[in-house]
Amino acid sequence: MQSVQHFGLKHHFLLAMPHLEDPNFAGSLSYLCDHDENGTMGVIVNRPLELTLDALFEQLELGGDESPHRQAPVYYGGPTHKDRGFILHRGDSDAWDSSIQVAEDIALTTSMDILQALADGRGPEQFLVCLGCAGWEAGQLEDELKENAWLTVEGQAEILFSVPPEQRLGAAAGILGIDLNLMTREAGHS
């Protein structure tokens, strides 16, 4: 009898357990944008870099002097494709060149047109600009979940866009009724 895999983690938060020591993911909250038989892709949403959109606009020569978003942080989105931008935002994916609809009101866009719109003071009101993403090969995330490296819970736009980055992991854990600070860092020990 063949086992059936279920791919239902799109639009879910992935919470790093306290004992996860991989420096790329320790203490991280990821938002999963795609999960299917080919693997899983998401962005880390609680690690602002020492880089603002103003500096990014300048590096990309997009202008942005009049943008109300100039001081918004750019986030470390993960260890894969660190030179690419992944913009998680409220709204519809149809407005942008390279975009996927993750949930009813959340999309992920990787095309330059959305950055230009943000530099011009247009574009979505609520967004996170991430450099890099997190990716797992087929079956890899499922194996890590079995090893208790992660917790999952359905994503919430309010946590992504309204909660300060340093509070997002705790807020996501709160959906489950868990305080990660009270959990042991030693897996399998009490």
Side-chain angles (χ1 to χ4, degrees):
M1 183 182 214
Q2 199 172 9
S3 70
V4 177
Q5 296 235 346
H6 298 283
F7 302 105
L9 293 179
K10 181 178 179 177
H11 180 58
H12 276 68
F13 288 126
L14 193 61
L15 296 74
M17 290 293 284
H19 61 271
L20 182 63
E21 293 182 2
D22 178 335
N24 290 307
F25 295 104
S28 70
L29 177 67
S30 299
Y31 178 73
L32 300 181
C33 301
D34 197 14
H35 180 230
D36 61 23
E37 67 277 359
N38 299 313
T40 309
M41 180 269 172
V43 290
I44 297 172
V45 296
N46 66 333
R47 290 201 181 155
L49 297 167
E50 301 258 336
L51 178 69
T52 62
L53 276 186
D54 190 37
L56 186 63
F57 292 156
E58 190 175 310
Q59 284 179 10
L60 298 173
E61 299 178 2
L62 294 176
D65 295 339
E66 302 303 316
S67 174
H69 310 297
R70 290 175 52 205
Q71 296 310 310
V74 174
Y75 290 81
Y76 170 76
T80 306
H81 303 298
K82 289 191 278 194
D83 58 337
R84 290 188 57 199
F86 296 83
I87 298 87
L88 196 60
H89 58 91
R90 294 294 285 260
D92 197 351
S93 62
D94 292 341
W96 313 106
D97 289 340
S98 183
S99 192
I100 60 168
Q101 200 70 40
V102 180
E104 185 177 326
D105 64 338
I106 301 172
L108 180 74
T109 301
T110 59
S111 49
M112 191 64 83
D113 60 338
I114 193 169
L115 285 174
Q116 185 64 63
L118 290 170
D120 293 342
R122 299 177 293 110
E125 290 277 324
Q126 295 182 306
F127 62 89
L128 298 176
V129 175
C130 303
L131 289 180
C133 67
W136 293 264
E137 294 178 6
Q140 182 183 1
L141 181 58
E142 290 79 3
D143 289 344
E144 292 178 14
L145 286 167
K146 288 177 194 166
E147 294 168 7
N148 296 318
W150 306 98
L151 292 173
T152 62
V153 66
E154 189 171 350
Q156 290 185 1
E158 293 72 31
I159 291 175
L160 287 171
F161 303 114
S162 300
V163 172
E166 68 278 2
Q167 295 174 16
R168 288 180 188 146
L169 179 61
I175 298 170
L176 296 169
I178 294 172
D179 182 345
L180 290 174
N181 295 319
L182 299 178
M183 297 181 83
T184 178
R185 294 193 181 280
E186 298 296 320
H189 302 321
S190 56

